[in-house]
mmCIF file of all heavy atoms in Angstrom:
data_model
loop_
_atom_site.group_PDB
_atom_site.id
_atom_site.type_symbol
_atom_site.label_atom_id
_atom_site.label_comp_id
_atom_site.label_asym_id
_atom_site.label_seq_id
_atom_site.Cartn_x
_atom_site.Cartn_y
_atom_site.Cartn_z
ATOM 1 N N THR A 13 0.931 -5.234 -14.882
ATOM 2 C CA THR A 13 1.963 -5.432 -15.900
ATOM 3 C C THR A 13 3.348 -4.999 -15.430
ATOM 4 O O THR A 13 4.353 -5.340 -16.055
ATOM 5 C CB THR A 13 1.611 -4.675 -17.189
ATOM 6 O OG1 THR A 13 1.410 -3.293 -16.892
ATOM 7 C CG2 THR A 13 0.334 -5.227 -17.812
ATOM 8 N N ALA A 14 3.411 -4.234 -14.339
ATOM 9 C CA ALA A 14 4.706 -3.815 -13.790
ATOM 10 C C ALA A 14 4.507 -3.423 -12.334
ATOM 11 O O ALA A 14 3.395 -3.108 -11.908
ATOM 12 C CB ALA A 14 5.293 -2.647 -14.585
ATOM 13 N N CYS A 15 5.599 -3.432 -11.585
ATOM 14 C CA CYS A 15 5.515 -3.176 -10.148
ATOM 15 C C CYS A 15 6.755 -2.432 -9.672
ATOM 16 O O CYS A 15 7.881 -2.769 -10.066
ATOM 17 C CB CYS A 15 5.382 -4.510 -9.405
ATOM 18 S SG CYS A 15 5.461 -4.395 -7.622
ATOM 19 N N GLY A 16 6.567 -1.427 -8.834
ATOM 20 C CA GLY A 16 7.670 -0.722 -8.197
ATOM 21 C C GLY A 16 7.531 -0.791 -6.690
ATOM 22 O O GLY A 16 6.449 -0.539 -6.162
ATOM 23 N N VAL A 17 8.604 -1.147 -6.004
ATOM 24 C CA VAL A 17 8.563 -1.319 -4.546
ATOM 25 C C VAL A 17 9.710 -0.571 -3.894
ATOM 26 O O VAL A 17 10.867 -0.681 -4.311
ATOM 27 C CB VAL A 17 8.658 -2.816 -4.158
ATOM 28 C CG1 VAL A 17 8.666 -2.971 -2.641
ATOM 29 C CG2 VAL A 17 7.507 -3.601 -4.760
ATOM 30 N N VAL A 18 9.369 0.209 -2.865
ATOM 31 C CA VAL A 18 10.355 0.883 -2.014
ATOM 32 C C VAL A 18 10.026 0.474 -0.590
ATOM 33 O O VAL A 18 8.932 0.763 -0.096
ATOM 34 C CB VAL A 18 10.269 2.416 -2.164
ATOM 35 C CG1 VAL A 18 11.311 3.090 -1.283
ATOM 36 C CG2 VAL A 18 10.447 2.834 -3.616
ATOM 37 N N SER A 19 10.934 -0.208 0.088
ATOM 38 C CA SER A 19 10.627 -0.724 1.420
ATOM 39 C C SER A 19 11.888 -0.787 2.269
ATOM 40 O O SER A 19 12.997 -0.611 1.753
ATOM 41 C CB SER A 19 10.019 -2.129 1.304
ATOM 42 O OG SER A 19 11.029 -3.099 1.063
ATOM 43 N N PRO A 20 11.758 -1.067 3.556
ATOM 44 C CA PRO A 20 12.947 -1.245 4.393
ATOM 45 C C PRO A 20 13.861 -2.365 3.923
ATOM 46 O O PRO A 20 15.038 -2.407 4.296
ATOM 47 C CB PRO A 20 12.351 -1.557 5.773
ATOM 48 C CG PRO A 20 11.026 -0.871 5.773
ATOM 49 C CD PRO A 20 10.520 -1.038 4.367
ATOM 50 N N ALA A 21 13.345 -3.277 3.097
ATOM 51 C CA ALA A 21 14.184 -4.340 2.550
ATOM 52 C C ALA A 21 15.045 -3.845 1.401
ATOM 53 O O ALA A 21 16.010 -4.504 1.012
ATOM 54 C CB ALA A 21 13.308 -5.491 2.064
ATOM 55 N N GLY A 22 14.692 -2.682 0.834
ATOM 56 C CA GLY A 22 15.406 -2.145 -0.315
ATOM 57 C C GLY A 22 14.449 -1.834 -1.446
ATOM 58 O O GLY A 22 13.237 -1.709 -1.239
ATOM 59 N N LEU A 23 14.974 -1.737 -2.664
ATOM 60 C CA LEU A 23 14.159 -1.409 -3.829
ATOM 61 C C LEU A 23 13.879 -2.653 -4.660
ATOM 62 O O LEU A 23 14.770 -3.472 -4.885
ATOM 63 C CB LEU A 23 14.868 -0.371 -4.704
ATOM 64 C CG LEU A 23 15.255 0.953 -4.032
ATOM 65 C CD1 LEU A 23 15.847 1.905 -5.068
ATOM 66 C CD2 LEU A 23 14.062 1.602 -3.348
ATOM 67 N N GLY A 24 12.637 -2.798 -5.101
ATOM 68 C CA GLY A 24 12.282 -3.864 -6.014
ATOM 69 C C GLY A 24 11.794 -5.142 -5.351
ATOM 70 O O GLY A 24 11.945 -5.339 -4.135
ATOM 71 N N LEU A 25 11.197 -6.014 -6.175
ATOM 72 C CA LEU A 25 10.667 -7.282 -5.676
ATOM 73 C C LEU A 25 11.761 -8.242 -5.236
ATOM 74 O O LEU A 25 11.565 -9.054 -4.335
ATOM 75 C CB LEU A 25 9.806 -7.948 -6.752
ATOM 76 C CG LEU A 25 8.458 -7.292 -7.071
ATOM 77 C CD1 LEU A 25 7.778 -8.023 -8.222
ATOM 78 C CD2 LEU A 25 7.548 -7.275 -5.843
ATOM 79 N N GLY A 26 12.939 -8.157 -5.871
ATOM 80 C CA GLY A 26 14.034 -9.057 -5.505
ATOM 81 C C GLY A 26 14.473 -8.864 -4.067
ATOM 82 O O GLY A 26 14.663 -9.838 -3.324
ATOM 83 N N ALA A 27 14.639 -7.594 -3.670
ATOM 84 C CA ALA A 27 15.039 -7.300 -2.286
ATOM 85 C C ALA A 27 13.955 -7.729 -1.309
ATOM 86 O O ALA A 27 14.248 -8.261 -0.223
ATOM 87 C CB ALA A 27 15.334 -5.811 -2.141
ATOM 88 N N LEU A 28 12.696 -7.533 -1.700
ATOM 89 C CA LEU A 28 11.592 -7.932 -0.824
ATOM 90 C C LEU A 28 11.533 -9.448 -0.687
ATOM 91 O O LEU A 28 11.317 -9.976 0.413
ATOM 92 C CB LEU A 28 10.280 -7.387 -1.382
ATOM 93 C CG LEU A 28 9.009 -7.708 -0.596
ATOM 94 C CD1 LEU A 28 9.129 -7.278 0.862
ATOM 95 C CD2 LEU A 28 7.793 -7.046 -1.248
ATOM 96 N N GLU A 29 11.744 -10.167 -1.783
ATOM 97 C CA GLU A 29 11.742 -11.634 -1.718
ATOM 98 C C GLU A 29 12.823 -12.132 -0.765
ATOM 99 O O GLU A 29 12.571 -13.019 0.073
ATOM 100 C CB GLU A 29 11.972 -12.225 -3.107
ATOM 101 C CG GLU A 29 12.012 -13.741 -3.099
ATOM 102 C CD GLU A 29 12.451 -14.339 -4.426
ATOM 103 O OE1 GLU A 29 12.950 -13.590 -5.285
ATOM 104 O OE2 GLU A 29 12.316 -15.567 -4.595
#
Side-chain angles (χ1 to χ4, degrees):
T13 56
C15 173
V17 178
V18 181
S19 78
L23 303 184
L25 289 176
L28 180 54
E29 179 189 12

